[in-house]
Amino acid sequence: FLNTILQRSPITAGLDLLVKQANAKLPLGFFILLTPVLGLTAYVIGSRVTNVFFFSVLVGVLFGLAPYAYLRMKKKKRMEKFERQIPDGLDLIGRALRAGHAFTSGMKLAADELGDPFGAEFQETIDEINFGVSVSDALRNLVKRVDCPDLKFFVIAANIQRETGGNLAEIVENISRIIRERFKLLGKIRILSAEARTSATIMSILPFLVLFALSFINPDYLRI
């Protein structure tokens, strides 16, 4: 019954993609069922601990969103790791092309040398090509699976080169160099903005901490 509902729901495709991008071992249905279970359980416990209706609803909503937040967190970490692996992977592909290997052979070399997520995603692309999918379509599927802007530059350059020709090895190495320079710039920005980001985090959390404390210290004040 749940599978039938999920297949007809328009948001299922996006959630299923999120589960795959997070590399979660459990299916989408598990997380969807877990959401109301956690939300209702937290609401009941919150209503027993304190009589403040707003606080109980807030706790229920936060715990209900926990599975989605967990998947988003896992996806973010995995995509960040993918971004860190891209320069090394592109360097391997570029060196393989300069050595005379085919483009797909260079991708296979990068997939074998690097671990998850870069190696796993590129291996899936190689498998699609081996099963008869065109290289251009397999690369487009790779972009759909991986939420990484830097990967799009590589795929667009590879597809254009296959249609118009050119030195693909030089293009790939230039993209790798640009990505490395961008990482250096982002690192400097994070250092310069660390104090402001910390202050913003504290100011964002503080109202909820005060609400939680007042629910125990003076619940009548919250009711008003």
Side-chain angles (χ1 to χ4, degrees):
F1 176 72
L2 178 60
N3 286 335
T4 303
I5 295 177
L6 294 179
Q7 290 172 0
R8 296 177 180 177
S9 175
I11 65 173
T12 302
L15 292 175
D16 189 52
L17 179 61
L18 176 61
V19 172
K20 293 179 180 178
Q21 290 175 338
N23 197 25
K25 305 302 180 183
L26 296 169
L28 174 61
F30 171 81
F31 294 99
I32 291 180
L33 289 173
L34 187 62
T35 296
V37 170
L38 287 179
L40 291 174
T41 303
Y43 171 77
V44 171
I45 295 176
S47 61
R48 293 293 181 88
V49 173
T50 175
N51 294 325
V52 181
F53 175 75
F54 174 75
F55 176 76
S56 302
V57 172
L58 178 63
V59 172
V61 171
L62 291 177
F63 274 82
L65 293 175
Y68 178 76
Y70 168 77
L71 291 175
R72 294 284 299 181
M73 180 185 67
K74 285 203 65 176
K75 173 197 169 182
K76 181 181 178 182
K77 288 184 178 180
R78 191 165 182 263
M79 293 300 103
E80 287 176 350
K81 185 178 179 181
F82 188 95
E83 287 184 343
R84 293 194 300 269
Q85 291 177 319
I86 279 184
D88 295 332
L90 295 185
D91 287 342
L92 286 171
I93 295 174
R95 287 196 291 268
L97 292 173
R98 290 190 180 279
H101 292 282
F103 177 63
T104 53
S105 299
M107 292 176 58
K108 176 64 176 174
L109 176 64
D112 293 338
E113 291 294 327
L114 299 176
D116 186 75
F118 187 95
E121 295 296 342
F122 268 72
Q123 183 59 52
E124 185 171 346
T125 301
I126 294 296
D127 292 339
E128 289 183 354
I129 295 173
N130 291 336
F131 280 116
V133 180
S134 66
V135 176
S136 299
D137 290 339
L139 290 175
R140 292 190 187 97
N141 293 337
L142 175 63
V143 171
K144 292 178 182 178
R145 291 196 309 271
V146 181
D147 185 13
C148 178
D150 293 329
L151 180 64
K152 296 179 181 179
F153 299 140
F154 164 70
V155 170
I156 291 173
N159 286 336
I160 292 176
Q161 189 275 340
R162 290 181 62 82
E163 296 176 359
T164 62
N167 191 343
L168 182 58
E170 183 178 355
I171 294 173
V172 170
E173 290 174 352
N174 286 336
I175 294 175
S176 174
R177 178 179 55 81
I178 292 172
I179 293 174
R180 292 183 190 277
E181 292 298 324
R182 188 175 66 82
F183 283 163
K184 292 180 182 178
L185 177 62
L186 289 177
K188 294 179 181 179
I189 293 174
R190 289 192 185 98
I191 293 173
L192 294 174
S193 62
E195 182 179 355
R197 288 186 288 112
T198 303
S199 300
T201 302
I202 294 174
M203 295 299 293
S204 300
I205 297 176
L206 188 60
F208 299 101
L209 294 179
V210 173
L211 176 66
F212 179 76
L214 284 176
S215 64
F216 291 98
I217 298 173
N218 192 359
D220 294 333
Y221 178 79
L222 290 181
R223 290 194 189 96
I224 297 174

